[in-house]
Amino acid sequence: MSQPPFRADHIGSLLRPAHLLELRRKHRFGQISDAQMRQAEDAAIAEAVALQERVGLRLATDGEFRRASYHSFFFAQLGDIVPDWVPTEEQGQAVVPRRGVQPRARINSRLQWKKAIHVEDFRFLKGLVKSATPKITIPGPCALHF
């Protein structure tokens, strides 16, 4: 049998390489430029695509390496939405997350389609793949209501 008796699909993000996480930290503090960050992301995505093809996956993702999470960037493009909002409580002068509280979306406006969201990411990914089908993960609307 050449095919398994089940269908498997990759959903969501790949683990970010440690060097990419470190560069993202430096970028956040202005220690590297947008262009340097983009170049590092491009290289990490190319390595991830090559690995996925090498192990025989029929679909290849960019691993969400340009985004903190596959859902937060997408939802933030749909209006005044804070995707990973955590309720806080005042403790003295500091505002800290409440213990044991799961992040959730805070929706401050109607959802709006303003522009294509992942088109450029998909084009870049499509240009890298040789044998696999390029795939971008897009979260479903039900993720917002949690």
Side-chain angles (χ1 to χ4, degrees):
M1 174 184 259
S2 64
Q3 303 255 346
F6 55 86
R7 178 173 177 248
D9 203 357
H10 176 264
I11 299 173
S13 307
L14 298 176
L15 290 175
R16 274 65 168 186
H19 72 279
L20 191 60
L21 292 173
E22 175 59 19
L23 289 173
R24 188 160 314 286
R25 186 192 65 74
K26 287 181 177 182
H27 181 257
R28 188 172 52 247
F29 291 110
Q31 296 170 340
I32 65 169
S33 69
D34 291 347
Q36 289 170 306
M37 189 70 234
R38 182 81 180 193
Q39 184 178 14
E41 291 167 343
D42 287 353
I45 291 167
E47 290 173 20
V49 168
L51 172 65
Q52 291 168 86
E53 289 187 315
R54 197 167 50 250
V55 299
L57 296 180
R58 288 192 260 164
L59 298 174
T61 175
D62 64 0
E64 308 300 329
F65 287 176
R66 295 194 201 283
R67 296 169 285 285
S69 74
Y70 89 99
H71 72 282
S72 61
F73 174 82
F74 185 86
F75 288 143
Q77 307 305 305
L78 298 176
D80 185 6
I81 299 172
V82 181
D84 297 313
W85 177 72
V86 178
T88 60
E89 59 187 44
E90 296 287 333
Q91 291 186 349
Q93 293 286 346
V95 177
V96 298
R98 291 194 331 230
R99 293 174 197 223
V101 175
Q102 180 70 22
R104 59 184 182 233
R106 187 176 68 201
I107 303 170
N108 301 315
S109 71
R110 293 178 67 94
L111 299 183
Q112 306 167 39
W113 178 272
K114 298 177 185 179
K115 62 179 180 174
I117 297 173
H118 287 307
V119 171
E120 291 307 313
D121 293 336
F122 183 78
R123 286 184 180 142
F124 179 75
L125 176 63
K126 187 176 178 184
L128 293 174
V129 297
K130 295 178 179 70
S131 61
T133 300
K135 173 188 168 190
I136 296 287
T137 303
I138 299 174
C142 63
L144 274 178
H145 88 281
F146 292 122

